[in-house]
């Protein structure tokens, strides 16, 4: 009786194999699986081959847990005890069948591991999204806001001054203001397009690339800065006579970021910029940009890190600034190459190569849209903005328009007061105003029977589709973006006067 | 007699140890994950310098910590392959400690480190994010595409016969 129980519950789960000193099977009870007699044990399964070396040291015992063996038709997991024997005792193996336990454990561990891995991926995803969010928010918020406000005034005043026909220096100066405003605006647009660039959907805008113009411009904006900081500045160019086209705005963005970076990290010495176009027959021309500074530099590992940046938000090399990662992104987009050499306290050299194109010979006619072509019906309009500069600009741009009467106010409540007093043809509303903001004011105007027909123009620096949509919904059917030109302002007024 | 060497793949669970072995020995891959419990041993005969060498490859259950592995599993090992998952930073967070543990306790054993699942990440930015850990990783593999898998085992086999 006892034997029968033992037979069924213990012996059935256990096998003993006796070996000789050479690992040849001399006896096996074959309770679990059959093994061939008088054969080397390693023929049974590769596992046994891995323990052959243990035969040499006598009186040793090792336990191997949960070994998976497939022998003939029998598949299982076993705890294996190996005893190397001694003078009196042959080496032997004892195997315990743990297949059921292992299978059970397997299901539990499977569940656990899968959930641990899934959790990690969720965390990685969340972190990435957050980092992206933080980066983009910071970047977009600071740059768009800080730049657009002064831009509104620079661009507008420059345009006005240009018309006033000042002294030659004045005109020159004005042109510079105007140019730099355009460039800043382009850069801003580019920055906002960085997301697109990342996603690989950014479009390329080919324009004329004229090195002398480019260097004149760089000279004009950087020479005073360098002088102020006591740095030597040299700007050299070389290019064949051919005409070239390229994504000039982005190229300028690359150069400006590189030079800005150099200026930022150089306290003494010099900054040298070389621009050259390599154009040999049969190959596409290449623009080479080299910026050499004598600044603080950074360790070589860091440059490797920068060199391998794939995503613009992964900027985490201290001292490299945001600029380099923008450059990286743009250069990649332009299918160019970037290389950096830097040594701490010695300086940094950055090389960029960007493929460009030969221009087709046809001259592109510049479209000129004369203000004279715009005629306006008599209009009375309200403009509300809490920034007096914008108001002033607005008024001055319309100074020559005798038909247009402008009522300028600083907040939404005053707009509502003015509307009580007199009928007007349109209201220009700054969106962010102290006091009653533009959106609330718009909603109030639109909810009043007496005023709801009046066209409302959102006077805004935003270009987020969501926000523009919100403005539309608040009843502002037209927009005048900041910065705006006289031309744009007149066009909006023309639309209003046409529907009058 | 045929020479044989024991190779053990170690590293966290789910990094692709079993998949690397399956790719190398059977040239197959599956996206399904089946947790290895205990030890699976396969053998593969390779030619090294015109000689046959039997690799006895141990696939053990993945653990987050080498110290938690049963020492008997590692007994008599000629070469370790430390596998990490390039797509999961937790699998190489304490890489240096793990490698130090192996070097200290198994000083005579060959050790190679491989970043697997390289198909899931951008190799350059992966290396960039590794920073100081990067030099320890000598191979970048994918059991899925087969990239670098054979090379990994075969290079190790070569160092084992020297
Ligand atoms: N994309 C990809 N997946 C892999 C690769 N290697 C393994 N996997 C997957 O990763 C999971 C875990 O693999 P496994 O070999 O079981 O990992 P182990 O726990 O280390 O043995 C499985 O779902 C595999 O399909 C690889 O190189 N690329
Ligand atoms: Mg496994």
């Amino acid at each position: 009786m006892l034997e029968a129980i033992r037979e069924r519950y213990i012996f059935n789960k256990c096998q003993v194999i006796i070996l000789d000193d050479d690992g040849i099977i001399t006896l096996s009870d074959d309770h679990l699986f059959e093994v061939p007699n008088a054969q080397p044990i390693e023929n049974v399964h590769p596992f046994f081959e891995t323990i052959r070396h243990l035969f040499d040291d006598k009186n040793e015992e090792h336990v191997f847990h949960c070994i998976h063996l497939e022998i003939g038709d029998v598949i299982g997991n076993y705890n294996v005890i190996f005893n190397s024997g001694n003078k009196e005792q042959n080496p032997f193996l004892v195997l315990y069948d743990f297949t059921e336990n292992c299978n059970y454990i397997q299901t539990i561990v499977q569940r656990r591991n899968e959930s641990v891995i899934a959790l990690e991926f969720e965390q990685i995803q969340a972190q990435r999204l957050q980092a992206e969010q933080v980066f983009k928010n910071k970047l977009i918020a600071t740059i768009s806001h800080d730049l657009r406000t002064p831009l509104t005034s620079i661009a507008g005043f420059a345009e006005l001054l240009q018309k006033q026909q000042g002294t030659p220096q004045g005109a020159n100066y004005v042109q510079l203001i105007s140019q730099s405003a355009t460039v800043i605006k382009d850069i801003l647009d580019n920055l906002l397009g960085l997301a697109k660039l990342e996603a690989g959907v950014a479009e390329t805008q080919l324009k004329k690339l004229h090195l002398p113009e480019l260097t004149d411009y760089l000279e004009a904006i950087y020479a005073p800065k360098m002088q102020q900081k006591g740095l030597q500045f040299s700007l050299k160019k070389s290019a064949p006579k051919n005409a070239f086209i390229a994504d000039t705005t982005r190229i300028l963005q690359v150069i400006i970021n590189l030079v800005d970076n150099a200026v930022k990290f150089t306290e003494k010495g010099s900054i040298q910029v070389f621009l050259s176009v390599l154009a040999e027959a049969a190959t596409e021309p290449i623009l080479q940009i080299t910026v050499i500074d004598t600044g603080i530099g950074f360790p070589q590992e860091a440059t490797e890190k920068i060199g391998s940046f794939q995503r613009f938000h992964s900027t985490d090399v201290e001292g490299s600034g945001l600029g380099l990662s923008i450059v990286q992104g743009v250069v990649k987009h332009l299918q160019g190459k970037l290389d950096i050499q830097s040594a701490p306290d010695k300086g940094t050299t950055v090389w960029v190569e960007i493929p460009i194109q030969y221009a087709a010979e046809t001259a592109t006619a510049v479209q000129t849209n004369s203000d004279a072509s715009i005629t306006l019906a008599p209009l009375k309009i309200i403009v509300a903005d809490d920034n007096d500069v914008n108001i002033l600009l607005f008024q001055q741009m319309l100074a020559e328009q005798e038909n247009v009467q402008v009522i300028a106010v600083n907040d939404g409540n005053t707009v509502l007061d003015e509307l009580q007093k007199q009928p007007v043809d349109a209201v220009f509303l700054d969106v962010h105003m102290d006091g009653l903001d533009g959106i609330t004011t718009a909603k109030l105007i639109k909810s009043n029977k007496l005023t709801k027909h009046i066209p409302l123009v959102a006077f805004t620096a935003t270009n987020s589709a969501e926000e523009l949509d919100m403005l539309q919904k608040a009843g502002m059917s037209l927009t005048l973006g900041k910065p705006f030109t006289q031309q744009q302002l007149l066009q909006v007024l023309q639309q209003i006067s046409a529907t009058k | 007699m045929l020479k044989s060497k024991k190779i053990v793949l170690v590293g966290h669970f789910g990094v692709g140890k079993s998949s690397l072995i399956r790719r190398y020995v059977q040239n197959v891959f599956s996206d399904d994950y089946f947790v290895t419990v205990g030890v699976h041993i396969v053998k593969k005969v390779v030619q090294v310098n015109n000689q046959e060498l039997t690799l006895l490859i141990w696939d053990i259950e993945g653990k987050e910590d080498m110290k938690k592995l049963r020492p008997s599993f590692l007994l008599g090992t000629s070469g370790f392959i430390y596998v990490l998952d390039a797509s999961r930073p937790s699998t190489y967070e304490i890489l240096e400690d793990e490698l130090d543990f192996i070097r200290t306790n198994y000083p005579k054993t060959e050790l190679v480190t491989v970043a697997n699942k390289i198909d899931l990440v951008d190799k350059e930015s992966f290396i960039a994010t590794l920073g100081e850990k990067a030099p320890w990783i000598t191979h970048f593999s994918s059991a899925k595409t087969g990239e670098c898998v054979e090379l990994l085992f075969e290079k190790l086999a070569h160092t084992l016969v020297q």
Side-chain angles (χ1 to χ4, degrees):
Chain A
M1 162 99 165
L2 192 66
E3 268 317 293
I5 296 173
R6 277 207 177 121
E7 186 71 31
R8 188 166 158 201
Y9 292 98
I10 299 176
F11 295 163
N12 249 353
K13 298 276 168 203
C14 177
Q15 178 161 347
V16 177
I17 304 171
I18 313 284
L19 309 159
D20 70 11
D21 284 337
D22 297 322
I24 307 291
I25 299 168
T26 58
L27 191 67
S28 165
D29 59 28
D30 287 0
H31 280 165
L32 301 174
F33 45 78
E34 281 178 32
V35 295
N37 216 7
Q39 291 276 326
I41 183 74
E42 54 256 45
N43 288 0
V44 175
H45 191 276
F47 164 70
F48 300 107
E49 198 168 338
T50 61
I51 59 169
R52 273 298 273 119
H53 66 279
L54 300 173
F55 280 65
D56 303 336
D57 294 327
K58 293 295 143 197
N59 282 319
E60 293 270 333
E61 190 164 288
H62 298 279
V63 187
F64 299 91
H65 294 265
C66 211
I67 304 293
H68 181 88
L69 301 176
E70 297 182 22
I71 295 163
D73 298 337
V74 187
I75 300 174
N77 284 323
Y78 309 92
N79 278 8
V80 182
I81 295 174
F82 171 73
N83 189 302
S84 60
N86 51 40
K87 280 203 185 84
E88 287 87 46
Q89 168 68 60
N90 271 6
F92 64 88
L93 289 159
V94 183
L95 291 89
Y96 297 94
D97 186 354
F98 274 100
T99 310
E100 272 172 39
N101 295 46
C102 283
N103 288 348
Y104 176 64
I105 290 169
Q106 206 284 333
T107 58
I108 294 174
V109 178
Q110 180 84 37
R111 232 177 300 151
R112 177 196 149 239
N113 288 8
E114 278 176 3
S115 68
V116 171
I117 292 172
L119 187 71
E120 182 173 358
F121 277 125
E122 270 169 37
Q123 283 166 346
I124 292 172
Q125 185 71 1
Q127 273 168 4
R128 233 199 53 213
L129 285 179
Q130 208 200 346
E132 248 167 53
Q133 205 60 33
V134 168
F135 179 88
K136 284 195 180 142
N137 285 351
K138 208 169 81 187
L139 188 75
I140 293 174
T142 4
I143 298 179
S144 356
H145 199 267
D146 291 1
L147 284 185
R148 267 188 205 269
T149 311
L151 262 179
T152 310
S153 23
I154 297 179
F157 277 119
E159 200 189 48
L160 284 173
L161 277 168
Q162 222 162 3
K163 292 230 174 79
Q164 282 173 4
Q165 301 274 332
T167 61
Q169 280 116 314
N172 197 359
Y173 182 61
V174 166
Q175 178 160 10
L176 277 174
I177 299 177
S178 170
Q179 236 174 339
S180 70
T182 316
V183 169
I184 299 173
K185 182 179 168 295
D186 283 346
I187 288 174
L188 188 56
D189 288 343
N190 267 341
L191 262 174
L192 295 170
L194 255 178
K196 275 200 214 162
L197 201 118
E198 272 255 291
V201 294
E203 67 291 344
T204 300
Q205 291 166 343
L206 294 178
K207 291 186 208 154
K208 190 184 60 166
L209 176 76
H210 190 234
L211 283 196
E213 251 174 43
L214 208 62
T215 46
D216 283 353
Y217 175 70
L218 292 171
E219 181 77 38
I221 58 170
Y222 284 113
K225 252 192 214 174
M226 304 282 181
Q227 209 172 10
Q228 209 175 9
K229 237 185 148 176
L231 298 172
Q232 282 181 328
F233 180 49
S234 97
L235 192 59
K236 299 208 173 85
K237 57 175 186 292
S238 85
K241 281 271 170 313
N242 317 48
F244 300 100
I245 52 169
D247 195 335
T248 319
T249 309
R250 290 217 173 87
I251 287 175
L252 197 53
Q253 187 183 0
V254 167
I255 302 174
I256 286 180
N257 273 298
L258 291 177
V259 179
D260 278 350
N261 231 43
V263 176
K264 196 155 144 201
F265 297 107
T266 306
E267 290 308 323
K268 56 176 196 290
S270 65
I271 290 168
Q272 294 165 273
V273 179
F274 298 97
L275 301 177
S276 60
V277 173
L278 303 182
E280 281 158 25
T283 56
E284 63 178 352
I286 286 175
L287 172 69
Q288 284 189 326
I289 305 163
T290 312
V291 179
I292 305 172
D293 69 46
T294 56
I296 55 172
F298 38 83
Q300 190 63 30
E301 303 96 79
T303 66
E304 276 159 21
K305 221 166 164 186
I306 296 164
S308 59
F309 274 158
Q310 296 298 314
R311 308 175 66 84
F312 69 88
H313 59 258
S314 54
T315 320
D316 56 358
V317 174
E318 234 173 285
S320 74
L322 180 66
L324 268 187
S325 52
I326 292 175
V327 168
Q328 238 266 332
V330 176
V331 169
K332 193 173 168 203
H333 172 70
L334 297 176
Q335 283 160 5
K337 284 187 285 194
L338 171 95
D339 199 5
I340 302 172
Q341 276 288 332
S342 187
D345 295 326
K346 295 244 165 63
T348 304
T349 301
V350 184
W351 293 271
V352 171
E353 283 193 357
I354 294 169
I356 58 174
Q357 296 172 25
Y358 291 107
E361 286 307 307
T362 51
T364 44
V366 180
Q367 198 194 343
T368 46
N369 228 337
S370 148
D371 300 346
S373 65
I374 294 176
T375 45
L376 297 172
L379 291 174
K380 191 194 267 186
I381 58 175
I382 297 179
V383 56
D385 195 314
D386 57 357
N387 183 336
D388 285 332
V389 174
N390 285 340
I391 298 247
L392 189 60
L393 189 61
F394 196 93
Q395 286 172 322
Q396 290 194 341
M397 280 186 174
L398 295 176
E400 289 163 24
Q401 301 291 333
E402 282 157 7
N403 269 345
V404 184
Q405 190 190 339
V406 179
I407 302 161
V409 300
N410 288 117
D411 67 273
N413 278 320
T414 324
V415 172
L416 298 177
D417 291 346
E418 287 296 330
L419 286 176
Q420 298 271 312
K421 287 188 222 156
Q422 56 201 320
V424 300
D425 298 304
V427 181
F428 286 72
L429 287 167
D430 176 25
V431 177
H432 303 284
M433 279 187 292
D434 291 341
L436 200 58
D437 68 41
I439 291 180
T440 320
T441 312
K443 283 183 183 158
L444 288 171
I445 296 173
K446 286 292 166 189
S447 61
N448 184 331
K449 243 191 355 257
L450 296 173
T451 54
K452 71 175 187 202
H453 64 280
I454 302 174
L456 303 182
V457 185
F459 191 26
T460 174
T462 191
N463 48 15
S464 115
E466 260 171 63
E467 213 169 312
L468 289 173
D469 189 50
M470 204 164 77
L471 298 178
Q472 284 264 335
K473 289 211 176 95
M476 298 190 244
S477 52
L478 296 166
T479 45
L480 177 62
K482 292 178 193 172
F484 59 97
T485 62
Q486 191 171 30
Q487 179 82 21
Q488 286 164 337
L489 172 56
L490 291 175
Q491 271 165 2
V492 173
L493 289 173
Q494 200 178 24
Q495 264 176 288
I496 294 166
S497 84
T499 53
K500 203 180 146 181
Chain B
M1 194 190 120
L2 220 91
K3 274 210 285 187
S4 68
K5 299 279 179 187
K6 173 174 169 182
I7 292 177
V8 183
L9 277 80
V10 287
H12 286 209
F13 57 80
V15 296
K17 299 181 293 297
S18 305
S19 302
L20 283 170
I21 296 171
R22 225 171 302 132
R23 168 62 77 193
Y24 178 54
V25 178
Q26 296 164 271
N27 199 17
V28 292
F29 176 81
S30 158
D31 273 311
D32 298 329
Y33 175 37
F34 188 79
V35 169
T36 313
V37 167
V39 187
H40 291 236
I41 295 139
V42 289
K43 92 185 200 180
K44 169 136 177 155
V45 180
V46 289
Q47 292 283 333
V48 179
N49 305 333
N50 291 325
Q51 273 193 321
E52 285 197 334
L53 175 72
T54 305
L55 298 180
L56 298 161
I57 306 169
W58 281 48
D59 181 13
I60 58 182
E61 193 177 325
K63 282 277 183 326
E64 298 94 320
D65 186 346
M66 284 284 300
K67 296 173 201 81
K68 287 193 194 143
L69 285 175
R70 296 177 197 278
S72 66
F73 285 169
L74 308 180
L75 207 67
T77 306
S78 301
F80 285 112
I81 298 179
Y82 192 94
V83 188
L84 56 96
D85 178 343
S87 71
R88 276 162 57 215
S90 70
T91 67
Y92 52 87
E93 241 152 39
I94 52 160
L95 180 65
E96 259 186 284
D97 291 349
E98 297 277 87
L99 298 181
D100 274 345
F101 177 83
I102 300 175
R103 290 189 195 108
T104 314
N105 292 281
Y106 304 89
K108 295 205 186 105
T109 310
E110 288 296 330
L111 168 64
V112 293
T113 306
V114 59
N116 187 43
K117 305 199 194 178
I118 203 72
D119 58 291
L120 294 180
V121 299
D122 182 276
K123 193 163 149 185
E124 287 191 352
S125 41
F126 168 67
I127 295 173
T129 56
L130 275 176
E132 288 165 4
K133 297 184 189 109
W136 305 126
I137 303 176
T138 47
H139 293 77
F140 301 88
S141 70
S142 166
K144 185 163 186 165
T145 67
E147 181 181 340
C148 194
V149 177
E150 201 162 299
L151 190 79
L152 170 73
F153 285 92
E154 264 150 43
K155 263 173 104 173
L156 182 60
H158 266 88
T159 54
L160 291 184
V161 294
Q162 273 157 19

